[in-house]
Amino acid sequence: MGELRWSDAREWMDPEFGNDAPLHDGCVVGVVPGAWRAVAGLVRAQGWGFQEPEAGGGTFHVWPAEGFMVNFFDAGDEVVFDVDTRELQGQERVDLLAAFLRELGRAFGLPVALALEGVDPLKRAYLRYEPAGDEFVFAASA
């Protein structure tokens, strides 16, 4: 089983390393028919806390753990989200992120990518979770 280590993630998430954009964009790599309903089903199956999105879509606020919120966005058949890295400082908190990425990747059977705010995670992810090998893969250093 792959591990996500704070020592590896720190340069991308720690404000001391110049991370002045704490919201990071993520996505499941691939189109998932009925994505919005599939995400809602995953959230309920995992027992994660959530706030119902407004009628017709919008933002779906999910708490996979106390003090760790993920915002999913209604994007048709794509699964897109963001996380706030200020909530993910240190190994214990990065373990929460790893568990979330792992559950998301396994649920859809697809890689999950994470990129800095405003960067397309499909094109320039700094981190990918690969469910086939249960591993976390970082891009070259920032």
Side-chain angles (χ1 to χ4, degrees):
M1 177 188 307
E3 290 186 41
L4 182 58
R5 292 185 178 86
W6 173 243
S7 58
D8 297 328
R10 188 172 180 200
E11 74 176 278
W12 302 100
M13 299 180 173
D14 192 333
E16 291 180 18
F17 280 80
N19 173 24
D20 57 357
L23 293 178
H24 291 198
D25 297 330
C27 71
V28 171
V29 179
V31 174
V32 181
W36 196 246
R37 286 186 307 279
V39 166
L42 170 65
V43 167
R44 287 182 175 91
Q46 291 297 321
W48 295 336
F50 64 92
Q51 178 182 21
E52 290 284 352
E54 294 180 14
T59 304
F60 187 25
H61 305 289
V62 175
W63 288 269
E66 187 174 332
F68 172 37
M69 183 172 74
V70 178
N71 298 304
F72 285 96
F73 303 101
D74 190 354
D77 287 342
E78 295 181 38
V79 178
V80 296
F81 60 92
D82 71 14
V83 297
D84 187 334
T85 60
R86 293 173 293 196
E87 298 173 344
L88 301 169
Q89 301 295 298
Q91 186 61 55
E92 184 177 313
R93 303 302 292 179
V94 165
D95 288 345
L96 297 176
L97 175 64
F100 166 74
L101 296 175
R102 187 173 275 123
E103 291 301 329
L104 193 59
R106 288 178 177 169
F108 292 104
L110 295 167
V112 181
L114 201 58
L116 299 174
E117 176 75 9
V119 175
D120 184 348
L122 292 174
K123 294 180 181 173
R124 293 188 50 216
Y126 69 82
L127 174 64
R128 283 174 65 106
Y129 171 69
E130 298 287 346
D134 190 27
E135 64 182 346
F136 295 94
V137 180
F138 280 94
S141 295

